[in-house]
Amino acid sequence: MTIAVFFGCSFIAFGPAFALFIFTIARDPLRVIILIAGAFFWLLSLLLSSLVWFIAMKASNDKDQQLQRGLLIFGVMFSVLLQEVFRFAYYKLLRKASDGLAALSEDERSHISVQQMAYVAGLGFGIMSGAFSMINILADSLGPGIVGIHGESQYFFLTSAFMTMAVTLLHTFWGVVFFDGCENRRWWVIAVVVALHLLVSGLTFLNPIYEGSLPPAYVILVSMAVWAFFSCGGSLQNIQQFLTCWKNDAGSEVAS
Amino acid sequence: MNTSGSEEEFCNERTSLMTTESPPVSSYHVETGISSLEDTQTKGRRPITNESNNREADHEGESVERDSTADSEDEEMSLKYGAKHVIMLFVPVTLCMIVVIATIKSVSFYTEKGGQLIYTPFTEDTTSVGQRLLNSVLNTLIMISVIVVMTIFLVVLYKYRCYKFIHGWLILSSLMLLFWFSFMYLGEVFKTYNVAMDYPTLALVIWNFGAVGMVCIHWKGPLQLQQAYLIMISALMALVFIKYLPEWSAWVILGAISVYDLIAVLCPKGPLRMLVETAQERNEPIFPALIYSSAMIWMVGMTEHSAVQQPSHQETNSDEEVGQSHHDNTEDNRNMVVPETEVHGAQSRTTSAVELEEERGIKLGLGDFIFYSVLVGKASATASGDWNTTLACFVAILIGLCLTLLLLAIFKKALPALPISITFGLVFYFSTDNLVRPFMDNLAAHQFYI
């Protein structure tokens, strides 16, 4: 519960997202707006799912611990489904806006491609999801206390930070893949994304047995990263070109 | 503590959102050669939101044949510029909110109960919920009626050209903000961090801060410095409100003032709308130094500079006088665009290119800054969900601002910036605090992730 823990955990949890924001999003105003709107859509989905959970909780017996835990699990599942519904709704909105922009511009093309919008939207979802999960924990880590004093795990902050980072990046990749599936009408892709999201959230029910939740989440993260890379046009050839050109031109970087 | 009335009034010009326009063509042109060039330039670069009746009148003659081709270009330009303008407002609003939140979280002075303003005389320390609600509604009624009276007073003063009066009031209120409130703020920060400070150093610092602020806001200064000062005084004002408005009254006042903003700016007889229209009739920019402006007019070409500076400078001086009304003046100060800085920016361009470029910007009233920050600050001060609620309100306000700017791009006239953002902010505050917080707390306790 020191400054070191605070900074360490915040950098672990938000470092990649922050870097992605600074290097790819901050310069383009349209992307910033799409990012914030994505965060807003995630927030809406959270609001609705909390409402449902709250009603269910209030309507049930307060004292029954098992029931409350069951309701919480139901709340989590419902929230995941609602997040994906809102992701789809955001896709529809962006599509319409993109078509509008393209119609108005001179060469009938939009300034921003669907893949870029998918990436930014996914990152928006991820940043908001991570922030809501982690910020209160980070604020608490600055104050006095001993982690796990009653016998719980002493790695609470660290595992929260790693899980937050995983979830943030996962949302980004899911966004890319999801939008790609919607664009090309491949509905099985959407089903897989929803299933994976449910899986990752479901695995967190195993906490504090962190071996059950963190490594699988990271395995899924890596596979999603590869899938997203290939779905938006990347290939082994691209990577090769990127690396060789980079070595050849000392000063310049070639985007693949 | 009963503070004096001045700084409590709101100048509602602050709460309207409008686009800037460069000064009318006629005042610029010294040579006809340049004027025709500028006409063609400006034809191709109409601003997103257009209050430029003047400009259009000047261009009518030349614009007829270019209308059809220019229209689609304009639309595209306006959408391209649209995103940039949204970000130009996101950044200062975010900065103001960050300053307020950081102060609320660290300096406990602004969350301690320290009495109430004379505009909210009814106390909220009552026994029953109904009584408390009644008191807060009464407080709101008093506050809003004070605002309405002051706004109408301002419009009357402006209509009858009592510029000196307005000018004096504006200077008085910005003096109070820049010297007295910042002295108090600094004092509280030093107390919080237990920093030893002697009076001579403090006097020097406050004197420099205040004097440069007065110069920047009311006269000329670098655009970014002026923007920084406007943000700082908005934050100071918001902190005062957060401290002295009782809880329930604050929320009801926020709701009521967005309704009032809607009425005042959109209704044909609304005071703010009359203000905007009068200013447009007289070809004067509205209330310099009371509106945050992100624009800078770039005039390129050496010969035009001196000729251009003079007329617009005089114009802005008179506008400045107009802009001074009440203590809100400080807000007025905030709300006003300072054409001087635009002029000043032009002065700094000493290249000798022939083209006349304009970067159109966007204006946001300082009252909007203040009330956004009050909402977010109150959310972070009183919400038990702490950071989640603050974050939710922050995102809600930004999205409301985005939507308002979208409407501005569509309707192209002055719009109230408060209603949508404050509505979103209030909805998200109450729902996050009561619904999302227990959910997220439970999830965090079990380390479930959604």
Side-chain angles (χ1 to χ4, degrees):
Chain A
M1 306 287 279
T2 57
I3 296 275
V5 169
F6 171 75
F7 278 113
C9 287
S10 49
F11 290 154
I12 291 175
F14 297 117
F18 189 63
L20 285 173
F21 176 77
I22 293 284
F23 289 123
T24 58
I25 295 183
R27 298 223 174 249
D28 188 356
L30 196 55
R31 291 185 196 174
V32 174
I33 295 172
I34 296 178
L35 184 88
I36 300 202
F40 181 71
F41 269 75
W42 186 89
L43 200 58
L44 277 177
S45 80
L46 178 67
L47 201 70
L48 287 175
S49 48
S50 317
L51 179 66
V52 167
W53 173 82
F54 191 79
I55 293 173
M57 192 197 65
K58 284 294 177 195
S60 68
N61 183 10
D62 241 358
K63 305 287 181 259
D64 189 352
Q65 289 296 341
Q66 279 299 94
L67 180 64
Q68 292 302 318
R69 190 184 160 91
L71 274 180
L72 200 60
I73 291 177
F74 160 72
V76 168
M77 295 288 122
F78 185 73
S79 179
V80 167
L81 291 173
L82 212 56
Q83 282 176 45
E84 298 304 324
V85 166
F86 270 80
R87 205 196 294 273
F88 184 72
Y90 195 40
Y91 163 74
K92 281 283 178 212
L93 181 70
L94 282 177
R95 212 62 191 86
K96 232 186 243 171
S98 168
D99 290 339
L101 274 176
L104 287 169
S105 76
E106 291 171 342
D107 51 0
E108 295 292 321
R109 278 190 307 119
S110 160
H111 298 289
I112 187 168
S113 71
V114 178
Q115 284 102 336
Q116 287 173 351
M117 287 196 297
Y119 158 67
V120 175
L123 190 60
F125 268 59
I127 288 180
M128 204 58 181
S129 170
F132 260 67
S133 310
M134 197 64 192
I135 293 256
N136 274 335
I137 295 176
L138 283 176
D140 283 340
S141 77
L142 276 174
I146 300 177
V147 189
I149 192 170
H150 291 297
E152 300 103 1
S153 164
Q154 53 170 313
Y155 299 116
F156 183 82
F157 289 136
L158 217 50
T159 51
S160 295
F162 276 108
M163 195 66 201
T164 304
M165 174 175 79
V167 164
T168 305
L169 290 176
L170 272 171
H171 269 291
T172 314
F173 300 139
W174 282 331
V176 172
V177 168
F178 191 97
F179 277 41
D180 184 57
C182 290
E183 274 292 289
N184 301 325
R185 305 246 174 271
R186 290 193 220 127
W187 307 116
W188 64 269
V189 167
I190 297 179
V192 170
V193 166
V194 174
L196 280 178
H197 194 169
L198 283 169
L199 181 64
V200 170
S201 284
L203 284 173
T204 61
F205 298 150
L206 294 173
N207 283 334
I209 307 174
Y210 297 122
E211 297 84 353
S213 66
L214 273 179
Y218 273 85
V219 166
I220 295 177
L221 175 68
V222 170
S223 49
M224 281 306 306
V226 170
W227 188 5
F229 179 70
F230 284 113
S231 85
C232 63
S235 62
L236 288 171
Q237 209 181 13
N238 275 346
I239 303 180
Q240 216 174 19
Q241 267 181 347
F242 171 68
L243 290 171
T244 52
C245 286
W246 195 32
K247 281 192 202 128
N248 285 341
D249 307 332
S252 62
E253 285 181 17
V254 176
S256 57
Chain B
M1 155 177 146
N2 278 331
T3 54
S4 66
S6 56
E7 65 272 10
E8 310 319 327
E9 270 90 76
F10 301 117
C11 181
N12 293 295
E13 314 58 75
R14 297 180 282 109
T15 58
S16 63
L17 180 62
M18 52 190 103
T19 52
T20 54
E21 43 183 73
S22 48
V25 174
S26 50
S27 69
Y28 276 92
H29 297 303
V30 182
E31 303 154 44
T32 49
I34 307 294
S35 70
S36 58
L37 189 62
E38 188 194 13
D39 284 349
T40 55
Q41 280 295 101
T42 52
K43 202 47 204 142
R45 286 167 174 256
R46 260 214 319 241
I48 303 175
T49 57
N50 221 337
E51 288 183 17
S52 50
N53 308 325
N54 322 320
R55 189 165 274 287
E56 277 159 21
D58 291 330
H59 288 298
E60 254 174 298
E62 295 167 53
S63 64
V64 174
E65 72 279 11
R66 289 183 56 123
D67 260 347
S68 49
T69 51
D71 267 352
S72 52
E73 262 176 38
D74 290 337
E75 291 283 355
E76 191 222 333
M77 280 289 184
S78 67
L79 286 164
K80 220 195 273 191
Y81 282 127
K84 199 160 81 158
H85 290 216
V86 172
I87 301 302
M88 282 202 279
L89 282 185
F90 270 10
V91 173
V93 168
T94 308
L95 283 175
C96 190
M97 288 200 252
I98 286 178
V99 169
V100 169
I101 293 173
T103 309
I104 294 278
K105 287 291 183 189
S106 53
V107 180
S108 60
F109 171 73
Y110 288 104
T111 44
E112 290 161 8
K113 249 190 126 9
Q116 294 182 198
L117 302 169
I118 56 173
Y119 303 104
T120 53
F122 295 94
T123 176
E124 283 195 10
D125 281 333
T126 55
T127 43
S128 73
V129 171
Q131 182 69 26
R132 188 172 184 185
L133 194 62
L134 181 68
N135 281 355
S136 52
V137 169
L138 289 172
N139 280 339
T140 308
L141 284 174
I142 296 177
M143 184 71 110
I144 298 290
S145 40
V146 166
I147 291 170
V148 171
V149 162
M150 296 313 294
T151 311
I152 294 178
F153 186 47
L154 172 74
V155 173
V156 161
L157 283 176
Y158 187 61
K159 260 196 163 3
Y160 291 110
R161 300 180 188 263
C162 308
Y163 294 151
K164 287 264 180 277
F165 191 86
I166 297 176
H167 195 125
W169 207 336
L170 197 60
I171 293 218
L172 208 65
S173 44
S174 52
L175 263 176
M176 174 164 285
L177 261 183
L178 281 170
F179 287 96
W180 176 242
F181 283 166
S182 50
F183 167 71
M184 262 173 45
Y185 178 80
L186 216 52
E188 292 307 322
V189 169
F190 287 150
K191 272 188 220 167
T192 307
Y193 291 108
N194 209 14
V195 173
M197 175 66 70
D198 55 309
Y199 274 114
T201 312
L202 187 66
L204 199 67
V205 167
I206 297 286
W207 166 252
N208 276 311
F209 178 78
V212 173
M214 291 299 288
V215 165
C216 266
I217 294 173
H218 291 274
W219 192 47
K220 299 187 203 188
L223 182 67
Q224 290 191 318
L225 194 62
Q226 190 220 354
Q227 289 173 338
Y229 268 104
L230 293 176
I231 293 175
M232 280 191 272
I233 60 181
S234 305
L236 284 174
M237 198 69 201
L239 285 169
V240 166
F241 281 135
I242 294 172
K243 181 169 171 70
Y244 291 113
L245 284 179
E247 265 200 53
W248 291 20
S249 306
W251 298 116
V252 183
I253 285 175
L254 276 172
I257 201 154
S258 22
V259 170
Y260 171 70
D261 199 25
L262 197 65
I263 297 174
V265 176
L266 292 181
C267 286
K269 282 296 169 195
L272 291 183
R273 183 168 168 151
M274 278 171 34
L275 200 67
V276 169
E277 283 167 3
T278 317
Q280 278 178 352
E281 276 167 39
R282 297 186 194 167
N283 252 357
E284 295 164 349
I286 300 179
F287 297 131
L290 282 184
I291 294 185
Y292 177 94
S293 163
S294 55
M296 195 151 108
I297 303 287
W298 294 347
M299 301 282 288
V300 191
M302 303 270 280
T303 51
E304 287 86 51
H305 279 204
S306 47
V308 168
Q309 306 311 318
Q310 290 312 83
S312 33
H313 185 65
Q314 269 137 29
E315 227 182 277
T316 59
N317 270 336
S318 62
D319 292 328
E320 217 183 352
E321 291 160 9
V322 167
Q324 334 253 4
S325 38
H326 20 174
H327 308 278
D328 298 325
N329 296 341
T330 47
E331 300 165 335
D332 292 343
N333 291 329
R334 296 171 257 175
N335 298 338
M336 303 316 179
V337 174
V338 187
E340 295 124 9
T341 56
E342 294 167 345
V343 162
H344 188 74
Q347 276 173 334
S348 61
R349 305 261 154 210
T350 50
T351 58
S352 53
V354 190
E355 287 186 354
L356 192 65
E357 263 194 47
E358 294 158 7
E359 173 146 325
R360 305 217 183 245
I362 199 149
K363 294 184 203 175
L364 182 63
L366 284 197
D368 302 323
F369 277 87
I370 295 175
F371 285 112
Y372 293 162
S373 308
V374 166
L375 194 149
V376 169
K378 270 275 183 223
S380 76
T382 61
S384 38
D386 258 357
W387 291 97
N388 282 348
T389 318
T390 311
L391 200 57
C393 289
F394 171 72
V395 171
I397 287 178
L398 285 188
I399 291 294
L401 189 60
C402 199
L403 285 174
T404 310
L405 288 170
L406 188 69
L407 286 178
L408 195 64
I410 296 175
F411 290 112
K412 301 192 198 313
K413 57 178 214 168
L415 285 182
L418 280 184
I420 301 181
S421 287
I422 298 287
T423 311
F424 277 9
L426 288 174
V427 164
F428 274 84
Y429 170 75
F430 286 110
S431 50
T432 310
D433 200 30
N434 297 316
L435 299 174
V436 176
R437 183 187 50 84
F439 187 47
M440 292 308 288
D441 279 351
N442 271 311
L443 290 182
H446 293 108
Q447 262 190 318
F448 293 168
Y449 279 79
I450 50 170

